[in-house]
Amino acid sequence: MSSRDPSLSLPEPPSELLALSEQLCTRIVKAIEADGFLSFDAYMSMALYEPGLGYYVNGLHKFGASGDFVTAPEQGRLFARSLARQIDELGAELDEDWTLLELGAGSGALARDLLQSLDAAPARYLILEPSAALRAVQQETLSALDEQLQARVEWIATPPEEDFEGVVLANEVLDALPVRAFEIGEQQVLERGVELRQGQLQWTSRPAGPRLVEAVKALQASLSAPLPVGYRSEINLDLAAWLETVTRPLARGLALMIDYGYPRREYYHPDRSEGTLVCHYRHRAHFDPFVWPGLTDLSSFVDFTAVAEAGADAGLDVLGFSSQAGFLLSLGIQDALASARDEREHLALAGEIKRLTLPAEMGEKFKVIALGRGLDLPLRGFSLMDQLARL
Ligand SMILES: C[S@@+](CC[C@H](N)C(=O)[O-])C[C@H]1O[C@@H](n2cnc3c(N)ncnc32)[C@H](O)[C@@H]1O
């Protein structure tokens, strides 16, 4: 049921994994049959989170060399160590029993390395992770910590009810949130979704409903020129509600979100007329979201202007926006080289710094946004480069 363009040179999954993907396809087809059309956000949600079968919940390996992609915390420890410098600076200003809430902790590498790198660890390190399979991976990773640090970690299913002072952290979580897909039609905005044609999952479109039409209208009004007919892209209609929910308990402190994305004008640039969806399978990136659902990571780039607006709507101050390179270099990631014990370690650290900061690697594609509440201090992570004016 999942189609594959033969020109895509992807390694064929083993038959048991293909069977798992087929099972998920069967459920997707049922959802399509309910009204002949499945919104792309509903498809993305099933492909990533359908119980037992979706990409993030099916228990197959995702991260690192043997997975599908490598995130910054999986490159080594320098990303966490740099973040720790920013968080330590802030922790000193907060209640002594401050809390760190990490959203979507993946393999748990960032949690482990942060807890080991912070000068003063938070009283509580909460992990909000919707995937039971990933929670188990995180528990295994964090079992490497000493008991005193392990005791601070708690897994939660929803944001805490009670307020806290502290930090909310999300690395590569925004890109995994389901998005609507749209196209500018001759007469009207079209919603792009999924149908079953000739036994295959395929793109289709229909006139957009009022919520999507309004959102695209508002988007067009904020751009310097209207999007041309035929232009396709994505929009996250639930971003503001999501951001408000995850930052509501933050009485005082900082929300740091790191992800690949652009300010709005660049996101909806006329040249990006096919949108920003990207799929990862075994370290190959491709653009067909219907290839092997459940086995393939699906994501879209982040509109950071929308994140800033959602933050402001949630009563947060937009305190900083920078490329990942600007942020990590401001925090002195390069200082690690001085502590290398030998030539080999020096080379490894230099390689890691390059991967995290070079423009052709993660340095420019990834951005960092800081949203604060009740804070009145300059953030070191934006001292060399603050690009708020680009949003
Ligand atoms: C691309 S992985 C990033 C993992 C990790 N932060 C890292 O940098 O390696 C996306 C993570 O976000 C989680 N996630 C997806 N939707 C989420 C949501 N609505 N709230 C919190 N976490 C979510 C996934 O289960 C997964 O752990």
Side-chain angles (χ1 to χ4, degrees):
M1 268 172 256
S2 71
S3 57
R4 180 159 72 99
D5 172 353
S7 64
L8 273 179
S9 64
L10 299 174
E12 188 82 2
S15 56
E16 66 275 18
L17 298 190
L18 284 175
L20 185 142
S21 179
E22 279 302 301
Q23 252 183 292
L24 177 56
C25 281
T26 305
R27 289 210 202 156
I28 290 168
V29 168
K30 271 202 184 126
I32 292 174
E33 282 167 355
D35 81 343
F37 177 98
L38 188 66
S39 290
F40 188 76
D41 62 338
Y43 171 77
M44 186 165 168
S45 181
M46 290 187 83
L48 296 181
Y49 307 110
E50 179 68 9
L53 297 171
Y55 180 76
Y56 279 116
V57 295
N58 62 19
L60 300 173
H61 194 82
K62 319 284 173 230
F63 308 100
S66 61
D68 301 302
F69 52 85
V70 183
T71 62
E74 304 287 333
Q75 303 279 355
R77 302 202 168 202
L78 294 185
F79 182 73
R81 283 193 199 157
S82 309
L83 268 175
R85 285 183 159 180
Q86 177 63 83
I87 295 173
D88 268 326
E89 176 185 82
L90 205 71
E93 297 290 315
L94 299 172
D95 259 4
E96 64 176 4
D97 58 349
W98 63 280
T99 295
L100 200 156
L101 166 60
E102 185 181 353
L103 310 172
S107 72
L110 181 57
R112 178 199 59 208
D113 296 343
L114 262 182
L115 279 164
Q116 286 180 330
S117 306
L118 284 162
D119 287 339
R124 296 185 308 166
Y125 195 112
L126 305 179
I127 297 182
L128 177 58
E129 172 56 68
S131 161
L134 286 178
R135 276 200 298 277
V137 175
Q138 292 155 15
Q139 276 153 2
E140 170 66 25
T141 303
L142 292 174
S143 65
L145 293 175
D146 67 41
E147 279 180 18
Q148 197 249 347
L149 285 177
Q150 277 188 53
R152 297 172 193 234
V153 183
E154 196 185 318
W155 280 265
I156 52 175
T158 52
E161 292 285 321
E162 72 284 5
D163 288 356
F164 62 78
E165 289 202 4
V167 175
V168 177
L169 184 59
N171 187 60
E172 287 207 43
V173 177
L174 291 165
D175 69 73
L177 301 178
V179 287
R180 293 281 185 107
F182 67 88
E183 178 171 335
I184 306 297
E186 298 269 357
Q187 314 288 343
Q188 60 198 329
V189 178
L190 301 173
E191 172 163 15
R192 304 182 74 221
V194 192
E195 68 173 3
L196 189 68
R197 209 165 51 237
Q198 293 165 339
Q200 307 283 351
L201 301 177
Q202 309 263 5
W203 282 109
T204 184
S205 61
R206 69 178 183 188
R211 193 167 170 229
L212 181 56
V213 169
E214 280 311 308
V216 175
K217 235 192 231 168
L219 174 67
Q220 298 253 44
S222 70
L223 297 171
S224 49
L227 299 172
V229 170
Y231 190 92
R232 292 170 173 169
S233 195
E234 302 81 40
I235 188 165
N236 183 344
L237 297 187
D238 299 320
L239 178 68
W242 179 83
L243 194 80
E244 200 277 328
T245 307
V246 295
T247 58
R248 192 184 302 150
L250 187 69
R252 188 160 167 267
L254 191 67
L256 272 178
M257 313 247 155
I258 305 149
D259 225 306
Y260 35 95
Y262 313 99
R264 179 168 293 147
R265 269 173 303 216
E266 292 168 40
Y267 191 105
Y268 296 104
H269 191 277
D271 289 347
R272 219 178 302 287
S273 60
E274 287 297 322
T276 71
L277 286 177
V278 60
C279 315
H280 286 98
Y281 178 75
R282 296 293 177 94
H283 300 278
R284 270 87 163 173
H286 68 86
F287 307 102
D288 182 348
F290 307 127
V291 175
W292 305 322
L295 308 184
T296 306
D297 178 42
L298 264 185
S299 64
S300 71
F301 278 54
V302 174
D303 170 1
F304 275 98
T305 305
V307 179
E309 288 170 354
D313 287 351
L316 298 158
D317 305 310
V318 186
L319 300 180
F321 177 65
S322 164
S323 66
Q324 177 169 291
F327 183 73
L328 296 177
L329 292 167
S330 295
L331 292 168
I333 189 171
Q334 62 285 8
D335 299 349
L337 293 173
S339 63
R341 282 162 303 190
D342 51 37
E343 182 73 8
R344 212 164 139 206
E345 192 180 8
H346 193 276
L347 269 176
L349 292 172
E352 190 181 338
I353 294 172
K354 282 184 187 166
R355 289 192 296 280
L356 292 170
T357 62
L358 281 183
E361 303 255 0
M362 301 178 88
E364 282 302 317
K365 177 172 152 187
F366 283 75
K367 312 289 193 301
V368 184
I369 192 165
L371 305 169
R373 180 137 48 218
L375 287 182
D376 185 20
L377 76 165
L379 296 171
R380 182 171 165 196
F382 302 92
S383 53
L384 292 179
M385 176 196 284
D386 197 346
Q387 302 184 316
L388 273 177
R390 284 176 70 196
L391 289 175

